[in-house]
Amino acid sequence: MKSKSKRDKQNKYFEEDSGENFYFIAGYTDGGASYGVNWEEIIAQELNFRGAVKKDAKKAADLIHYAIDDIAEKLTGQTKKENIRETLANFFREEINRLSYQNTMVADVLGEVAGIVITYPGEIAPRLDEPILKRLRKKRRNELILLDKEADEGDFYIDTVCVENRFRGNGIGTMLLKEVEKTALQKGIQEFL
């Protein structure tokens, strides 16, 4: 549950309709001109980076699907958009798989998921693929199904990066990658893929 001050702050920004130049119209001058806060200012002031949590699953699934498109069909064994996203959300909520919340960093603006980046060390990639492969093999009744090897030992693999449509064009994707790089360097990882 969001704290009252966070909700109030979010409502302050999001309750008003956006004008041509302002996202939130704070008021009007004596001459009738509007003044307020534009979208770029809100993002600059309110953007935070955090580890993902299970409750981010629905938005993360939407972003993952958007980013990987038809690869999502291959990973989920589904063809309908809603089934693909439901399966992606389930993977996201689970632990120890490539799409898990545990491997995801979130760009957060006033409690909303603005973007995500999924990363993991290459040496654990085969282990992260096991639950996905197990589900896919069972669904397709084919024990020979394999996933493409995407990361090698020693790599710090960037699996998926995506920014919500209305937050695009503000450098959030770039900032997510810089945050990931900072985190990886703190862990002593030098190679990025």
Side-chain angles (χ1 to χ4, degrees):
M1 184 171 184
K2 292 179 188 167
S3 69
K4 185 171 176 9
S5 65
K6 187 107 172 172
R7 272 195 317 266
D8 291 344
K9 198 174 211 182
Q10 189 175 23
N11 288 339
K12 179 178 111 179
Y13 287 128
F14 293 117
E15 281 184 358
E16 296 286 334
D17 289 333
S18 67
E20 194 169 307
N21 297 314
F22 302 109
Y23 186 77
F24 170 74
I25 298 173
Y28 297 91
T29 65
D30 291 340
S34 59
Y35 65 92
V37 180
N38 67 33
W39 192 233
E40 291 78 20
E41 291 171 323
I42 292 170
I43 291 171
Q45 292 170 11
E46 302 298 337
L47 179 65
N48 294 301
F49 299 97
R50 61 174 172 80
V53 293
K54 291 180 181 184
K55 72 176 186 157
D56 296 325
K58 183 179 179 340
K59 179 54 75 177
D62 293 349
L63 292 172
I64 293 166
H65 189 203
Y66 183 82
I68 67 175
D69 194 33
D70 59 339
I71 296 170
E73 284 186 31
K74 183 177 178 183
L75 288 177
T76 63
Q78 304 287 346
T79 55
K80 291 183 179 177
K81 180 179 171 179
E82 57 274 2
N83 295 340
I84 290 169
R85 291 188 176 184
E86 181 181 328
T87 303
L88 291 172
N90 288 336
F91 283 140
F92 186 85
R93 284 184 206 97
E94 293 173 2
E95 298 179 0
I96 312 173
N97 73 70
R98 75 158 78 171
L99 302 174
S100 173
Y101 72 95
Q102 294 172 312
N103 305 320
T104 307
M105 180 179 288
V106 170
D108 180 293
V109 176
L110 294 170
E112 281 194 59
V113 175
I116 62 166
V117 60
I118 300 173
T119 60
Y120 45 85
E123 51 271 6
I124 66 168
R127 194 173 109 212
L128 295 176
D129 283 344
E130 285 174 17
I132 295 171
L133 270 172
K134 183 179 177 182
R135 185 195 173 285
L136 197 53
R137 287 172 177 165
K138 183 178 178 182
K139 178 163 181 48
R140 295 281 168 103
R141 296 184 181 106
N142 181 352
E143 290 298 315
L144 301 176
I145 292 175
L146 297 173
L147 296 175
D148 295 335
K149 182 180 179 186
E150 296 181 356
D152 292 319
E153 193 168 319
D155 294 340
F156 188 69
Y157 187 68
I158 300 169
D159 185 286
T160 305
V161 181
C162 192
V163 175
E164 172 68 40
N165 191 37
R166 68 191 186 105
F167 291 99
R168 290 187 191 140
N170 292 288
I172 292 174
T174 301
M175 287 185 270
L176 271 167
L177 292 174
K178 286 181 180 178
E179 286 295 313
V180 163
E181 182 178 19
K182 207 174 1 177
T183 301
L185 290 172
Q186 288 170 351
K187 294 179 180 180
I189 299 168
Q190 303 292 320
E191 295 292 319
F192 299 93
L193 257 184

